[in-house]
Amino acid sequence: MFAENRKISLRQLQILLLLDSFGTVVLFLPAELAQISGRGCWVAALVGGIVFAVSSLLLTMAGSKMPEGTAVEWYRFCFGNWIGGAVLVGLAVKLLFDGLMELRIFSEVVCRTMLPNTPVWVISLVILLVAGTLADQGIECRGRTAEILFFAVVVPLVIVLLAVAVSTKFDRVLPLALPSFAGVKNGIGAMSIVFQGLTFLYFIFPALGKPDLAKRAVLKSVITTTILVTIMVFLCLAVYGEGGLSEKLLPTLQMMERVSFSGVFLTRQDILLLWFWMASVCIFLSGVLFYGSLLGVRLRKQPETKRKNWLWACLSAVFAASFLPENLSEAYRLRMQIAPWLHLFYLIILPLLLLLLARREGGRGDV
């Protein structure tokens, strides 16, 4: 139905980036930032968002110089076949790592909060099959699904946050404090996981109807995400205080549960709240599977018809590898140790190198 139309609009791109950002990390982030930045955790979130707003500009500037290509063509053009190929393999590993961490952590959260008697592997398989169905239908299906989910996810989420803000006293955030330099630095690393969806910009430009306008559209989406995440962290701090927040496991979810939905006859309010993250995780995983399969096809220079084979390979790899961590705490610890370094390399260092090397006329001669 969608596979023959391989274009998305800038509005769809903005919504996709927004939904990609509201994954499982947002559930844990306020507590993580409170531990490393204290009462200035919301400032650390804001600074981290600004850093990745600049990072998004670097990626879109690189894309505007080579709008007909993806990461495969960009890396080979700038670094040559051998180095470019090695970096592309690393990008594939990064996509799979981000996907398996998101899948395992969210499955564990659902199991603990909603379905304690359901095996984690069943939850993971259901989520991954939904994401795989979206990925199989192509880029336009992802874009249209994101447009629909925007009104079912982002709008209610904003309403809940407004309700929390109205019902909260802000004595615990006063006096306002600034984080230390170390707190800001570590906060940027934690915030990098929020913007893991920016990796998809390496593949998106050939699918855009107006790639020359992508810079402003992407920047608006990243700024919107930064504002929403900063507000979430600030509200969590106001509700629990510095000490209480740092000890919470899922502070964002627990904060939102303070809002009463008794008027709409809900017996399990947490199910409604976790819906926000269920939609975002499925959209993000569909991106991992879609772009992972696209990367495999482009790397091997195969026809588009082979993408479905790569899609099944990516799905199987993400599902199997998601069970390598022993439990939720091990998966979370592993992600916090590895993911910030991957994002530093692929979202900041590499875009800078691409911009510098793309200016050389003709690039490498062996491409």
Side-chain angles (χ1 to χ4, degrees):
M1 177 179 178
F2 298 103
E4 297 304 318
N5 188 336
R6 301 175 183 178
K7 297 291 183 180
I8 61 171
S9 66
L10 292 176
R11 180 180 63 184
Q12 289 172 335
L13 172 62
Q14 288 177 310
I15 297 173
L16 280 170
L17 289 174
L18 189 63
L19 291 177
D20 286 336
S21 299
F22 281 87
T24 56
V25 66
V26 179
L27 293 169
F28 301 89
L29 184 66
E32 182 73 25
L33 290 177
Q35 292 171 11
I36 60 182
S37 303
R39 205 162 63 244
C41 54
W42 64 276
V43 179
L46 180 61
V47 173
I50 293 173
V51 168
F52 285 93
V54 175
S55 169
S56 73
L57 285 176
L58 296 176
L59 277 168
T60 51
M61 288 171 64
S64 65
K65 292 181 179 295
M66 299 171 280
E68 300 301 321
T70 64
V72 177
E73 290 75 28
W74 297 1
Y75 292 163
R76 285 176 173 170
F77 177 80
C78 293
F79 303 122
N81 283 333
W82 288 102
I83 297 177
V87 177
L88 286 168
V89 171
L91 180 61
V93 172
K94 180 193 182 305
L95 284 173
L96 294 178
F97 180 80
D98 290 342
L100 73 91
M101 287 292 109
E102 198 72 17
L103 178 65
R104 178 60 185 275
I105 290 174
F106 186 70
S107 298
E108 290 279 2
V109 170
V110 171
C111 183
R112 290 190 179 200
T113 59
M114 290 171 51
L115 303 170
N117 296 322
T118 304
V120 173
W121 71 267
V122 174
I123 299 172
S124 296
L125 185 60
V126 170
I127 294 171
L128 203 53
L129 289 177
V130 172
T133 301
L134 291 177
D136 181 55
Q137 294 299 311
I139 183 68
E140 189 194 3
C141 181
R142 291 191 73 237
R144 292 191 181 184
T145 302
E147 281 187 305
I148 296 171
L149 289 177
F150 177 81
F151 296 99
V153 176
V154 178
V155 174
L157 182 62
V158 171
I159 293 174
V160 172
L161 290 178
L162 287 173
V164 172
V166 169
S167 62
T168 299
K169 295 182 179 180
F170 294 91
D171 300 342
R172 291 177 174 173
V173 301
L174 299 175
L176 296 177
L178 294 176
S180 64
F181 176 78
V184 171
K185 181 187 68 174
N186 294 329
I188 292 172
M191 279 292 289
S192 70
I193 305 175
V194 173
F195 298 101
Q196 59 188 358
L198 290 178
T199 309
F200 300 152
L201 292 176
Y202 279 115
F203 305 93
I204 202 69
F205 278 86
L208 293 179
K210 298 178 180 178
D212 52 316
L213 301 179
K215 186 190 304 182
R216 179 176 297 181
V218 171
L219 183 61
K220 286 181 180 178
S221 181
V222 174
I223 290 175
T224 301
T225 299
T226 299
I227 292 171
L228 286 175
V229 171
T230 302
I231 289 173
M232 284 185 175
V233 175
F234 186 81
L235 289 176
C236 284
L237 180 65
V239 169
Y240 298 114
E242 177 185 346
L245 178 56
S246 62
E247 297 175 355
K248 294 290 181 180
L249 177 61
L250 301 169
T252 305
L253 183 63
Q254 292 167 309
M255 172 192 70
M256 294 170 66
E257 286 178 340
R258 292 164 57 91
V259 179
S260 174
F261 292 98
S262 56
V264 292
F265 307 107
L266 282 176
T267 57
R268 288 296 304 275
Q269 184 169 309
D270 54 344
I271 295 178
L272 172 65
L273 298 177
L274 276 175
W275 154 248
F276 302 150
W277 280 271
M278 174 69 78
S280 294
V281 168
C282 285
I283 287 291
F284 177 76
L285 287 173
S286 72
V288 169
L289 298 175
F290 177 76
Y291 293 117
S293 62
L294 182 63
L295 179 58
V297 168
R298 294 290 184 99
L299 268 174
R300 297 294 302 274
K301 297 181 181 179
Q302 295 174 333
E304 183 70 19
T305 54
K306 296 291 185 180
R307 191 179 67 81
K308 184 168 290 189
N309 296 336
W310 283 101
L311 178 63
W312 280 106
C314 291
L315 191 151
S316 301
V318 169
F319 180 72
S322 67
F323 294 100
L324 292 178
E326 293 182 4
N327 48 46
L328 174 61
S329 60
E330 179 65 20
Y332 181 77
R333 183 192 64 81
L334 188 63
R335 181 164 72 170
M336 294 306 297
Q337 288 181 342
I338 296 177
W341 295 103
L342 292 175
H343 297 144
L344 172 65
F345 184 67
Y346 280 97
L347 298 182
I348 297 178
I349 295 176
L350 270 183
L352 276 172
L353 291 176
L354 286 173
L355 283 173
L356 293 174
L357 296 176
R359 293 180 178 178
R360 298 187 307 169
E361 185 177 355
R364 290 286 299 268
D366 58 342
V367 178

